[in-house]
Amino acid sequence: MKERLTRRRLNRATLLRQSLHERAELSVEAMVERLAGVHARHREPPYIGLWNRVDGFRREHLAALLDLRAVVRASLHRGARYLVTAEDYLWLRPTLEPMLRARRERVLGRRTTGVDGGQLAAAARFLLAGRVMPRPELGRALAARWPGRDPVALARSARMLLPVLHPPPSGLWGRRGPAAFVLAEEWLGRALDRRPDPARLVTRHLAAFGPATVEDVQAWSGVSGLREVVDDLLPSLREFRGEDGEELLDVPDAPLPPEDLPVPVRFLAAGDDAVLAHTGGTRLAAERARHPPGEPAFLVDGLVRGGWSLTRETDGRTVLTVRLSAPLNRRQREEAAEEGAALLRFAAGDADRHDIRFTAAG
C-alpha cells in the first residue's frame, strides 16, 4: 500500500526543497543548481528569487557568476529564459532540443513560412561565429538572407534552433535593452553533451519540487512523452498517492517534512518555479484562490494569498503594494511588514523613502 500524502504535506515538501522555509547558507551557484534553474524572463526576478532563498544574498553575487560564465542565461524549459549553471546547460540543452524545435514551429512557424529550420540555424551559426551579436542585429542579418520575413521572428527562431546564450550585460539587474546572442560552446569553451538525458531531467525536477506527477515534470519542462522514461526509473524511485489518488513520484532520501513545518511570509518573484512547477499551479494555491501565472506571488503559511508590486513614485519613494486575496491577522500583517521592509531594502535601497500598502485584490 502506497503512503498517502496530504496537500499540506506536499506543500511543505516543496517549500523545504526550494529553501523557502528558511534561507540557506549555500553558495549562489549551488542554489541555482539545487533549483534546477531559475526562471529569468526578465532581469530582476531571478535576483529576488535568490534573495528569498540564500542567506546574505547580494546582487553582485549573481552578477559575478554571470561574468565568470559559471551561470548562464538561455532559452530552456518551455522555451522560456532560465538561469542555469554552466554544467547543467551542457546536458540540459540537448535534452530539451526536440521540444525547443517543436515549440519554434508552433509559435513562430507562420511568421517564418518558407524558411527551412536547418538552413536558418546554419546561417545564424555562421553570423555568430567568434562574436557576440545583439538580437536586432542578428534579426536584420537573417532578414537579408530571407527578404520579407520578420527579423524578430527569425532571431527568436535562432535561439530555439541553435544552442545560444545571452551573455552579460543581459541578465544584470537594472540593465535594459535587447538581449545579445553568443554561441554556447564558444562562450563556455566546451562541447555540449552528445546525448539527451531525459531521466536526469525527471530526477532533477523531483529533487527540486517533488513528490510530483509525470504531468508536473512535463508541465515544468515542456517535454512530453516522459511516461516511458519514468517507467524505466520506477525501480529507483519512491511512490506515493495524493489526496485524489494521483501517482506521486520522488527520488530516494529526499526530505519529506511534517505538515506542521513552520514557514514564513515570502514575496516570490514573477515567474517563480515554486508556483509554476506543478500542473495548474496547485501546490502553493490556497482554496478558491487562483493566482495569475507569472505574476509575483505573496505567500502566507506557504500558500498564495495575493500578489505584490514595487512602484517608484515621483517624490523618490518606492512603494510595495501587497494585494490581498484574503485578510491577514495581526501577526501575519506584522510579519508581512517586516519581510516587505527587507525586500524594499534589497530591491530599492537607493530610494529616498519606503512605504508598504495593503490592499484588497481587485
Side-chain angles (χ1 to χ4, degrees):
M1 187 67 145
K2 296 173 184 175
E3 183 181 354
R4 180 175 172 272
L5 300 178
T6 64
R7 292 189 183 92
R8 186 172 177 85
R9 195 169 183 202
L10 290 170
N11 170 275
R12 281 349 193 217
T14 294
L15 293 172
L16 186 148
R17 297 183 197 188
Q18 288 285 300
S19 296
L20 290 170
H21 69 304
E22 63 179 8
R23 289 178 170 89
E25 294 183 1
L26 202 64
S27 74
V28 175
E29 185 176 0
M31 181 58 72
V32 173
E33 180 181 9
R34 173 186 287 186
L35 299 175
V38 180
H39 189 257
R41 179 182 179 185
H42 301 295
R43 289 167 171 81
E44 285 82 1
Y47 292 81
I48 294 172
L50 291 165
W51 170 80
N52 269 311
R53 293 167 166 90
V54 178
D55 189 36
F57 175 78
R58 298 197 303 272
R59 296 180 206 168
E60 55 265 33
H61 293 159
L62 178 55
L65 290 174
L66 289 165
D67 282 335
L68 292 169
R69 310 185 187 190
V71 168
V72 297
R73 187 170 185 245
S75 296
L76 294 167
H77 308 304
R78 308 178 307 282
R81 287 191 183 97
Y82 269 75
L83 292 178
V84 297
T85 65
E87 294 296 331
D88 275 343
Y89 182 85
L90 297 177
W91 68 267
L92 193 52
R93 181 55 171 77
T95 301
L96 298 176
E97 172 115 1
M99 177 274 296
L100 292 170
R101 289 180 174 272
R103 187 173 184 85
R104 187 214 74 90
E105 185 61 34
R106 188 168 62 252
V107 175
L108 297 167
R110 285 189 178 182
R111 296 166 63 186
T112 57
T113 301
V115 179
D116 178 78
Q119 292 179 1
L120 175 58
R125 183 182 291 278
F126 175 79
L127 291 166
L128 291 170
R131 63 179 299 192
V132 175
M133 184 179 286
R135 185 185 66 197
E137 184 180 343
L138 176 62
R140 289 192 297 269
L142 291 170
R145 168 76 182 274
W146 286 278
R149 298 295 184 268
D150 180 359
V152 174
L154 291 172
R156 289 180 176 171
S157 291
R159 69 179 171 88
M160 306 287 260
L161 294 169
L162 196 63
V164 295
L165 304 173
H166 304 304
S170 177
L172 298 183
W173 179 283
R175 295 299 294 262
R176 295 292 179 266
F181 287 26
V182 66
L183 293 175
E185 292 181 329
E186 287 188 355
W187 184 255
L188 297 175
R190 287 179 285 175
L192 303 185
D193 290 1
R194 292 186 177 182
R195 294 185 178 181
D197 195 348
R200 192 172 182 181
L201 183 72
V202 170
T203 57
R204 289 294 295 278
H205 178 277
L206 296 179
F209 304 102
T213 66
V214 177
E215 292 74 20
D216 291 334
V217 184
Q218 295 181 155
W220 167 74
S221 65
V223 177
S224 59
L226 289 176
R227 180 72 253 183
E228 185 176 345
V229 176
V230 169
D231 287 344
D232 289 341
L233 285 170
L234 277 179
S236 64
L237 298 177
R238 291 188 293 175
E239 298 181 68
F240 303 95
R241 289 289 176 193
E243 286 190 5
D244 298 324
E246 68 273 26
E247 178 192 47
L248 295 164
L249 305 167
D250 205 2
V251 290
D253 303 322
L256 272 176
E259 292 185 354
D260 60 356
L261 176 75
V263 294
V265 163
R266 283 287 183 260
F267 291 90
L268 297 188
D272 197 301
D273 272 2
V275 177
L276 297 177
H278 300 91
T279 306
T282 55
R283 186 63 57 94
L284 305 187
E287 289 292 330
R288 300 180 299 279
R290 288 295 172 188
H291 187 69
E295 294 297 315
F298 172 59
L299 297 188
V300 178
D301 191 30
L303 298 173
V304 177
R305 291 283 292 275
W308 62 273
S309 61
L310 292 176
T311 306
R312 287 186 179 264
E313 306 287 349
T314 55
D315 61 1
R317 287 182 303 164
T318 295
V319 178
L320 169 61
T321 301
V322 187
R323 295 176 293 277
L324 301 173
S325 58
L328 304 179
N329 60 36
R330 181 177 178 180
R331 180 188 60 79
Q332 290 169 340
R333 185 177 283 261
E334 289 175 350
E335 186 180 355
E338 182 179 353
E339 183 70 2
L343 172 61
L344 283 163
R345 289 192 298 272
F346 172 78
D350 59 338
D352 295 336
R353 212 173 82 209
H354 296 151
D355 284 342
I356 302 177
R357 299 170 185 167
F358 293 92
T359 65

